[in-house]
Amino acid sequence: QVQLVESGGGSVQSGGSLRLSCEVASVNVATVPCMAWFRRAPGKDLKGVASIHRSDTTTYPDSVKGRFTISRDNAKNTLYLQMNSLSSEDTGMYYCAAGFTGTCATVSGDGYYYSTSNYGYYGRGTQVTVSS
């Protein structure tokens, strides 16, 4: 059973930065086919904001491309999401996810689409609130 524990959320002013962390237990993060970050904005569905394949290939939807960076530290067995130039539209609960089947992301009109069904494990989330 893969265990994921997120941290690093908080409140920040528009234009600010945050780095989220996801500690991974029971599996070597470097061997997981797909790791990703999802966001649930208030009143909206869960949407992917970044993924990283075990080959180190990363993807981002257009809404965060150039502002968010996903990475992992294999020695610490931890996944990260560096978020810069935050706006109120980035407010939401952020979840770390691990996927062992399917693709990490597919090309879509918004850059990339992340199927929640391809990710079988999720953490409990960490809240990010961006105020203008």
Side-chain angles (χ1 to χ4, degrees):
Q1 186 79 0
V2 179
Q3 295 176 318
L4 308 170
V5 180
E6 303 93 338
S7 62
S11 296
V12 64
Q13 296 253 339
S14 181
S17 299
L18 281 174
R19 188 177 80 155
L20 306 184
S21 299
C22 172
E23 294 185 20
V24 181
S26 306
V27 67
N28 186 334
V29 68
T31 67
V32 179
C34 297
M35 295 292 300
W37 288 94
F38 284 80
R39 174 174 69 203
R40 188 188 299 279
K44 296 188 178 180
D45 294 332
L46 196 63
K47 291 186 67 175
V49 296
S51 73
I52 183 167
H53 188 264
R54 62 185 168 197
S55 66
D56 290 335
T57 300
T58 58
T59 68
Y60 307 91
D62 291 344
S63 59
V64 308
K65 192 173 183 179
R67 300 188 299 118
F68 288 13
T69 303
I70 188 171
S71 62
R72 61 168 179 257
D73 185 327
N74 295 337
K76 295 183 178 180
N77 220 38
T78 300
L79 181 75
Y80 299 101
L81 184 68
Q82 177 67 43
M83 306 186 295
N84 299 327
S85 301
L86 288 163
S87 73
S88 58
E89 294 183 352
D90 297 314
T91 292
M93 186 71 81
Y94 284 72
Y95 300 89
C96 173
F100 293 84
T101 60
T103 58
C104 299
T106 55
V107 176
S108 77
D110 296 329
Y112 285 95
Y113 169 75
Y114 304 80
S115 174
T116 55
S117 62
N118 286 353
Y119 292 86
Y121 300 92
Y122 292 82
R124 292 189 175 185
T126 185
Q127 176 68 36
V128 171
T129 302
V130 184
S131 57
S132 56

